[in-house]
Amino acid sequence: MKNSDFLNILQSRRSQGPKMQKAPAPSEEVLEAAALAARAAPSHNPAFPVRFVVADSREKLADIFEAALGPDADQAMRERARSKALKGECAILVIGPKPSHDTPAWMDRENLMTAGGALTNFLNVLWAEGFAAKTVTSREITDPQGLFDPETERLLCFILCGTQAAPAEPRPASPSILSRW
């Protein structure tokens, strides 16, 4: 390989959840670099179908999580939902297009593949800059209160990130996933 440093960064990247993170969160400069790398993901869609939203108000995010539970949720469920919004030093929403009834299945798949590539590039920049990150999914949010447009967009996942609190465990050896036909 011509660029072994780049390959080592990619091969060493690990998901590290909030328990393996500490302050500080990534700087604006690192987040912008990650977003630029994400934008380089392949896409056939003329309007890039993915965007990243930094949740500056974690309390507002906790309100949204709590509201998504519905009126039958007990206090313990409400507290658990709120606590999930407060995990990690930084929370970033990954937003993609919501397919409509006339969206061709191939277009939805291509948009999701673009989202996966964009997410990977974003995570790789964070990792290369010394930040831990983990992607997590969420229950459907029907009233995102301005975070995204639920008519045309959907929440794909969250990125929780912060400075690595400890080195990541090395990835165990695994068989190749490359084959030939």
Side-chain angles (χ1 to χ4, degrees), residues 12-173:
S12 69
R13 197 204 68 75
R14 299 294 300 235
S15 291
Q16 290 182 299
K19 292 179 183 177
M20 298 300 293
Q21 299 172 17
K22 63 181 181 180
S27 67
E28 191 65 26
E29 178 184 23
V30 170
L31 293 174
E32 283 292 339
L36 283 172
R39 181 63 179 89
S43 177
H44 292 266
N45 191 329
F48 196 72
V50 184
R51 61 191 188 92
F52 296 80
V53 178
V54 178
D56 285 332
S57 175
R58 303 296 283 284
E59 284 299 323
K60 285 183 185 177
L61 187 59
D63 293 343
I64 291 170
F65 279 20
E66 183 179 0
L69 293 175
D72 297 336
D74 64 24
Q75 188 60 31
M77 291 170 68
R78 293 182 181 289
E79 288 174 11
R80 190 168 41 254
R82 292 187 71 78
S83 72
K84 288 182 180 187
L86 304 174
K87 289 184 178 183
E89 295 298 317
C90 178
I92 302 163
L93 293 82
V94 182
I95 308 295
K98 183 178 189 176
S100 65
H101 66 280
D102 61 342
T103 302
W106 63 265
M107 183 179 288
D108 187 43
R109 285 192 303 271
E110 284 192 3
N111 286 339
L112 289 173
M113 287 189 300
T114 296
L119 173 63
T120 299
N121 286 355
F122 198 101
L123 293 173
N124 284 331
V125 169
L126 293 178
W127 183 257
E129 292 297 319
F131 294 97
K134 183 174 185 170
T135 58
V136 294
T137 56
S138 173
R139 72 180 69 248
E140 186 161 338
I141 296 174
T142 55
D143 182 13
Q145 302 177 27
L147 283 172
F148 61 92
D149 179 357
E151 296 296 318
T152 61
E153 297 178 306
R154 60 185 164 182
L155 172 61
L156 300 175
C157 67
F158 288 90
I159 301 169
L160 302 177
C161 55
T163 299
Q164 291 179 27
E169 294 291 322
R171 190 175 302 280

